[in-house]
Amino acid sequence: MSLVLDWFHAAERVSDLAKLAFHEDANPERSKVTKSLKDALWNGLLDEFFAGLSQLCAPADLIQEGIDYFHKRRPILRYKECRDRKLPIGSGVIEGDIRFLGKDRLDRSGMRWNIGGADHSGRLDEFYKKR
């Protein structure tokens, strides 16, 4: 099994940290720093990524919270490796499957269901193993 922190959420957190560090009128610099951090993370340059995070100037406790968040998850910041292996780096596929099974298929008007009924085809376990 291959675990990776969802790219969308990681990138969003990087953007949030950069917003803390720069005033609104410093938008071009903030954009440059945000891009640099995301590029380092995207390309698996984790030492560079963490060095960039530690240079952000904002309320120390908020920046440290962000750095701690990523340090705690360092083993699953494997975007380059996962992309090289053609593995997903986002939760969109899973969220789409959940929507399809849980909403579109099982939540139709007037329908009632239970696990046995949801697995009428006998393939629910097979589906889980593929995901």
Side-chain angles (χ1 to χ4, degrees):
M1 179 154 85
S2 241
L3 293 178
V4 66
L5 180 63
D6 177 80
W7 172 253
F8 175 81
H9 294 103
E12 184 176 54
R13 187 164 293 244
V14 168
S15 294
D16 290 345
L17 287 171
K19 284 178 190 172
L20 290 171
F22 292 93
H23 299 291
E24 282 302 315
D25 56 1
N27 244 342
E29 183 64 20
R30 182 177 76 202
S31 295
K32 181 178 154 186
V33 168
T34 301
K35 182 179 179 345
S36 173
L37 288 168
K38 287 180 183 178
D39 286 349
L41 189 57
W42 181 257
N43 291 305
L45 305 172
L46 296 184
D47 290 338
E48 184 178 316
F49 171 72
F50 283 106
L53 281 182
S54 67
Q55 292 177 5
L56 293 177
C57 296
D61 56 334
L62 295 177
I63 292 298
Q64 191 57 52
E65 184 180 310
I67 292 170
D68 291 347
Y69 173 86
F70 282 110
H71 267 297
K72 195 181 296 185
R73 290 157 179 82
R74 188 178 183 126
I76 59 174
L77 301 178
R78 303 168 40 239
Y79 305 106
K80 179 160 179 18
E81 175 193 341
C82 287
R83 287 191 340 272
D84 288 349
R85 293 176 55 201
K86 308 279 191 257
L87 297 171
I89 60 169
S91 61
V93 172
I94 300 300
E95 290 172 11
D97 287 347
I98 289 168
R99 184 191 53 80
F100 173 73
L101 281 174
K103 174 99 176 85
D104 296 350
R105 185 167 176 214
L106 300 174
D107 192 29
R108 292 189 178 136
S109 180
M111 293 188 80
R112 305 284 184 267
W113 67 277
N114 59 32
I115 295 298
D119 192 23
H120 180 71
S121 67
R123 298 179 61 199
L124 196 57
D125 284 338
E126 179 185 331
F127 174 79
Y128 287 140
K129 288 176 186 172
K130 286 183 181 179
R131 300 292 174 206

